[in-house]
Amino acid sequence: MIFLVTPLSRPENLEKIYNSIFDAIPINEQHNYKWVIVVDRAVAHKMNDIQRIKNKSSRIEIFQSDIRNALVGHAHRNYFIMKYKQYFGENPNDWVYFIDDDTVFEKEFHNNVFKAIEENPNKAAIVFHQKNKDNTPRLVANLDNIKVCHIDMGQYVLNLSKIGTLRFVETDYCADGIFIENHFAIHGKESFLLVDGFCSTYNALR
């Protein structure tokens, strides 16, 4: 199972994210994933609008976080990591991709990363490139340079069984880079896979 997890503080973008996911993933493959929306407490008053999106598909789940105004969603990423076993059970083949609420799900992700996960289920992480909205390269992933400021949250997917006790630093804007740099240090280059494709667009909805 691949969990697409969106820490939500911009509910006005949900419809566009929903459309991007369901346009990209063929109906016959939709059993392979769930979209989990982790709602920031500051937008809990928008639950009726959020629920309307959930009602469109059984593939969508909502977690209501206890945290208000989480810095770029890092606390909500930790919330999912800590809660997912309770809600979904544990499977060594479960993966997570954190798709922020200012971006969309890319068809290139489906075409390349889904296949890479299926073929490499024992890897700790899979990384890929990121482009700007004008399709120019923004960050090119490099297994010799998995470091803060050289890789973005939208550029990696994680094997949930390999995360262990590692968590995002909730008070640091750059926690996405810190997390994946530490994850790389723990597991080593041989446990990471590079997909040579631009499977993420930076700030697509800004």
Side-chain angles (χ1 to χ4, degrees):
M1 178 73 70
I2 302 172
F3 293 95
L4 310 174
V5 177
T6 299
L8 185 69
S9 61
R10 301 178 183 94
E12 65 274 13
N13 287 341
L14 274 182
E15 188 78 34
K16 291 178 180 178
I17 301 170
Y18 169 87
N19 288 336
S20 72
I21 293 171
F22 285 83
D23 286 348
I25 303 176
I27 292 292
N28 66 326
E29 293 184 31
Q30 290 190 359
H31 63 284
N32 291 332
Y33 81 95
K34 282 188 179 292
W35 181 27
V36 180
I37 303 165
V38 185
V39 181
D40 190 285
R41 182 62 62 184
V43 295
H45 63 287
K46 297 282 189 178
M47 278 305 301
N48 286 342
D49 294 334
I50 297 166
Q51 187 65 40
R52 275 195 287 273
I53 295 292
K54 182 189 184 306
N55 291 344
K56 291 185 174 190
S57 173
S58 61
R59 298 285 93 201
I60 303 173
E61 302 288 345
I62 295 174
F63 286 6
Q64 294 191 54
S65 174
D66 298 326
I67 299 163
R68 177 183 294 270
N69 297 320
L71 179 66
V72 293
H74 292 319
H76 303 323
R77 297 183 233 285
N78 287 338
Y79 187 87
F80 172 78
I81 291 170
M82 291 185 289
K83 294 287 187 180
Y84 98 93
K85 292 180 187 177
Q86 174 184 338
Y87 285 91
F88 304 112
E90 185 174 11
N91 187 312
N93 295 319
D94 284 343
W95 290 69
V96 61
Y97 179 53
F98 292 105
I99 176 169
D100 287 348
D101 64 358
D102 62 356
T103 191
V104 293
F105 183 80
E106 300 286 344
K107 289 184 179 180
E108 288 80 3
F109 183 98
H110 167 260
N111 294 340
N112 295 288
V113 181
F114 270 40
K115 181 179 179 182
I117 290 171
E118 183 178 346
E119 294 177 350
N120 300 273
N122 295 318
K123 294 290 185 180
I126 296 172
V127 301
F128 37 89
H129 312 318
Q130 185 178 70
K131 63 186 191 301
N132 294 305
K133 287 192 288 186
D134 63 2
N135 288 323
T136 58
R138 178 176 181 265
L139 289 171
V140 175
N142 181 343
L143 293 183
D144 293 318
N145 195 27
I146 304 295
K147 296 185 182 300
V148 178
C149 300
H150 294 277
I151 188 164
D152 182 77
M153 184 77 261
Q155 284 181 265
Y156 57 85
V157 57
L158 301 163
N159 185 328
L160 279 160
S161 70
K162 308 285 188 181
I163 291 176
T165 59
L166 191 61
R167 298 292 182 268
F168 291 88
V169 181
E170 297 179 3
T171 56
D172 195 320
Y173 183 87
C174 296
D176 54 343
I178 295 168
F179 183 100
I180 197 65
E181 182 175 339
N182 289 336
H183 198 52
F184 186 85
I186 292 167
H187 293 283
K189 184 176 180 178
E190 67 281 358
S191 291
F192 274 52
L193 177 72
L194 172 65
V195 168
D196 188 16
F198 286 86
C199 304
S200 167
T201 301
Y202 183 66
N203 288 353
L205 296 179
R206 290 199 187 187

